[in-house]
Amino acid sequence: MKLLHSAIFIVFLLSFSTLSAQHRGKNSNRQFDLEMRAGANFCQIDGDESGNFNKIGFHASVGTSFPLSDDDRWRFVVELGLTQKGSRIDNNNIDRHISLTYVEVPLMVAYDFMERQQLRIAAGVAPAILAKSNVTTDGSHDQLQSDNYKRLDLLPLCISLRYRFTDTFGFDIRLYNSLLNIANENGTGTYRIFRSNKGQFNRLIQAGLTLNF
């Protein structure tokens, strides 16, 4: 709970700092902006014998971006959010629900398209700290499996597409794919990048709404 309280405090601090920066930079082209996001996650864990993005979670975040180019189209995005990942394994042998709640910090380079910069494409990484893990096996809490997940998901790759319908409201979709093993022990597993990097990896699709200031 201390971690969650700290995350909430940082969210408010980030929001306040961003609004202050906006106020100070109203007469400048190089402004910070503020965006809030929330929506659903469609998740799976590669390497745990599950699939089909059949675990539903949530995400919520606040973030800012600042220009990297004089035309204001290339921007660097920094966010702080809470996101629920995991998977559901449902076969003849086992019924297991894995819920992993992370505090994450997406860091991305973005480019804004169209005349009013309504369309944004971004890519980067989203380091995350595990705030809570809860695994149930055949309907009962499974403490051994709950303790099997690492404190850090250090290198999830993130690709984002956002479209603003108005200056305030928009819709976005993101793809996340962990590049480093998230589990301590693996009965089975797959690998990323190289074969020694074997284990379990979060993979998810996010879809949600955005509120821009």
Side-chain angles (χ1 to χ4, degrees):
M1 291 302 294
K2 288 183 179 180
L3 182 60
L4 292 179
H5 292 160
S6 298
I8 293 171
F9 173 75
I10 293 171
V11 167
F12 282 112
L13 184 62
L14 178 61
S15 300
F16 178 78
S17 300
T18 304
L19 289 173
S20 298
Q22 281 185 291
H23 179 73
R24 291 193 302 269
K26 280 185 176 180
N27 296 322
S28 170
N29 289 328
R30 303 185 68 80
Q31 291 186 23
F32 288 78
D33 58 17
L34 177 67
E35 180 176 273
M36 296 182 180
R37 305 172 54 251
N41 295 344
F42 304 90
C43 319
Q44 69 180 47
I45 296 178
D46 294 345
D48 73 345
E49 300 182 335
S50 67
N52 302 320
F53 299 96
N54 56 3
K55 162 68 179 176
I56 308 300
F58 68 89
H59 68 269
S61 68
V62 61
T64 186
S65 73
F66 57 86
L68 296 175
S69 62
D70 291 336
D71 63 2
D72 205 36
R73 291 187 177 273
W74 285 101
R75 301 183 70 87
F76 190 78
V77 179
V78 181
E79 295 181 1
L80 179 66
L82 199 64
T83 185
Q84 187 182 57
K85 306 178 185 182
S87 70
R88 181 184 178 189
I89 306 170
D90 187 8
N91 54 43
N92 294 329
N93 300 317
I94 195 170
D95 180 12
R96 176 171 289 163
H97 295 252
I98 302 170
S99 178
L100 306 174
T101 303
Y102 290 91
V103 177
E104 67 174 5
V105 185
L107 306 168
M108 296 182 289
V109 175
Y111 186 81
D112 292 340
F113 293 86
M114 306 177 69
E115 183 179 353
R116 292 174 47 238
Q117 300 179 222
Q118 301 101 307
L119 179 65
R120 172 175 290 181
I121 297 176
V125 295
I129 301 172
L130 182 63
K132 182 180 180 182
S133 61
N134 182 43
V135 180
T136 60
T137 302
D138 297 327
S140 300
H141 177 69
D142 191 330
Q143 189 62 49
L144 182 64
Q145 289 297 322
S146 296
D147 293 338
N148 191 40
Y149 292 93
K150 295 180 179 179
R151 203 64 175 167
L152 291 177
D153 186 3
L154 191 59
L155 198 60
L157 181 66
C158 176
I159 300 173
S160 173
L161 177 67
R162 185 205 69 188
Y163 182 79
R164 286 187 297 145
F165 302 106
T166 68
D167 288 341
T168 303
F169 296 102
F171 173 83
D172 76 336
I173 186 167
R174 290 187 180 181
L175 305 177
Y176 286 81
N177 198 335
S178 296
L179 298 183
L180 299 177
N181 175 28
I182 64 168
N184 294 312
E185 302 291 339
N186 303 279
T188 59
T190 184
Y191 68 92
R192 291 282 191 273
I193 307 175
F194 44 87
R195 289 191 177 274
S196 60
N197 181 33
K198 184 178 180 181
Q200 298 181 27
F201 304 86
N202 284 313
R203 185 146 59 105
L204 65 146
I205 301 169
Q206 280 188 352
L209 300 177
T210 65
L211 183 63
N212 299 89
F213 298 91

